[in-house]
Amino acid sequence: GCSNTSEISEVMILTSPTIENQPLGDSLCLNGVTNDLSVTYINGSGTATYQWYENSVSNNTTGMEITGEISNTFSPPTDSIGVKYYYVIITFSSGGCNQIPSNPAKIEVVEGPQITTQPITSQSICIGGNSQTLTVISTGGTGSVTYQWYSNTINSNSGGNPISGATADSYTPTAFTTTGNYYYYVEIQATGNGCSDIASDPAEIIVVDDPAFDSQPIAFQELCQNATVQDLEVTVSGGLGNVSFQWYSNNISSNSGGIPIAGAANSTFTPPTNSIGTIYYYCVI
């Protein structure tokens, strides 16, 4: 009839540990500053230790151990362009709890914004004319990319005045009413960490006077049929590019509504005198 009973042995079964907050990836420009990767866990037994890993693919099993990175936070390097994945494995000191890996966090490092196509460097137009559209093409950067065009009084891509509503990658200036030299440039901004603002080269628009007649054709000649007539001649200045001439004949004293004279495409024109009557002539340049 001999018996005895031992003292109570308590066995506590805990819920297995799980990661409550996973590390978050980021996309940023070269040498930008990203938020630390961090994890927190719940449940588990004993003291937790951490080890961070780097991987070239998106998994949490084949990475390489990062020496010295043994806390619950890690600052990924951003000094080289490319995509890396980082994860941490948490180990518990007692209780037979399994190691738990975090999700891989993707860190993408890209080149900062670069302009690959600049706006037209220089163009010339007459008063009232429309310039060609100014356009830029950019690459690189991350996040949202925004544009702001500026006007300037000097040939510089700084110190200009922002143009209201000019926030696309192209801009067409309004028609010019005053001669002079006008300058435009665009600033490009990417919102990603470490992405610096960049400015395009300045684009110059030269506005000149419309072509003008320095001398007009003789206003009046009266002569007999088949007599020798004095040539009609014009000289011009201003305007841009090559100057072309076209003489017209008209039955009324007007410099519109006439009929172009075939072959009369020089600065001088000799009117015919073989027919009796009054004819009016004018030149369009």
Side-chain angles (χ1 to χ4, degrees), residues 207-262:
V207 182
V208 302
D209 284 320
D210 284 326
F213 288 98
D214 292 335
S215 64
Q216 298 281 353
I218 298 170
F220 175 78
Q221 296 183 64
E222 183 179 53
L223 60 159
C224 290
Q225 186 178 20
N226 295 319
T228 301
V229 66
Q230 186 173 344
D231 286 345
L232 306 181
E233 182 176 6
V234 294
T235 59
V236 299
S237 62
L240 293 164
N242 297 321
V243 179
S244 61
F245 303 84
Q246 179 60 59
W247 288 89
Y248 291 76
S249 64
N250 209 344
N251 292 323
I252 60 175
S253 181
S254 173
N255 62 359
S256 66
I259 298 173
I261 302 169

Side-chain angles (χ1 to χ4, degrees), residues 165-179:
T167 56
D169 58 359
S170 62
Y171 171 66
T172 303
T174 55
F176 296 88
T177 58
T178 306
T179 61

Side-chain angles (χ1 to χ4, degrees), residues 61-245:
T61 57
T62 62
M64 295 181 59
E65 184 178 296
I66 304 173
T67 302
E69 297 301 335
I70 54 174
S71 72
N72 68 323
T73 61
F74 168 62
S75 298
T78 61
D79 57 353
S80 62
I81 293 171
V83 175
K84 296 291 184 182
Y85 299 88
Y86 299 94
Y87 63 92
V88 65
I89 292 178
I90 305 175
T91 303
F92 297 88
S93 62
S94 62
C97 296
N98 293 331
Q99 292 181 330
I100 53 172
S102 71
N103 295 337
K106 178 183 177 181
I107 301 296
E108 180 181 26
V109 180
V110 301
E111 189 175 26
Q114 304 288 323
I115 294 177
T116 56
T117 300
Q118 297 281 353
I120 300 169
T121 302
S122 182
Q123 53 183 305
S124 298
I125 61 175
C126 286
I127 286 180
N130 293 314
S131 72
Q132 297 182 57
T133 297
L134 306 177
T135 301
V136 292
I137 298 175
S138 65
T139 59
T142 185
S144 299
V145 177
T146 59
Y147 303 84
Q148 178 60 63
W149 288 88
Y150 292 79
S151 62
N152 212 347
T153 56
I154 59 174
N155 189 14
S156 173
N157 62 359
S158 64
N161 296 314
I163 302 169
S164 177
T167 56
D169 58 359
S170 62
Y171 171 66
T172 303
T174 55
F176 296 88
T177 58
T178 306
T179 61
N181 292 26
Y182 300 83
Y183 302 93
Y184 299 90
Y185 64 93
V186 65
E187 285 188 356
I188 302 175
Q189 182 182 63
T191 59
N193 287 333
C195 298
S196 300
D197 298 351
I198 56 171
S200 72
D201 294 340
E204 180 184 43
I205 298 178
I206 303 169
V207 182
V208 302
D209 284 320
D210 284 326
F213 288 98
D214 292 335
S215 64
Q216 298 281 353
I218 298 170
F220 175 78
Q221 296 183 64
E222 183 179 53
L223 60 159
C224 290
Q225 186 178 20
N226 295 319
T228 301
V229 66
Q230 186 173 344
D231 286 345
L232 306 181
E233 182 176 6
V234 294
T235 59
V236 299
S237 62
L240 293 164
N242 297 321
V243 179
S244 61
F245 303 84

Side-chain angles (χ1 to χ4, degrees), residues 24-60:
L24 301 177
D26 197 5
S27 178
L28 66 160
C29 285
L30 187 67
N31 295 316
V33 178
T34 185
N35 294 326
D36 286 347
L37 305 180
S38 65
V39 292
T40 60
Y41 71 91
I42 55 174
N43 304 317
S45 175
T47 302
T49 58
Y50 302 85
Q51 178 60 59
W52 287 88
Y53 293 79
E54 176 187 295
N55 209 344
S56 58
V57 294
S58 182
N59 70 48
N60 58 4

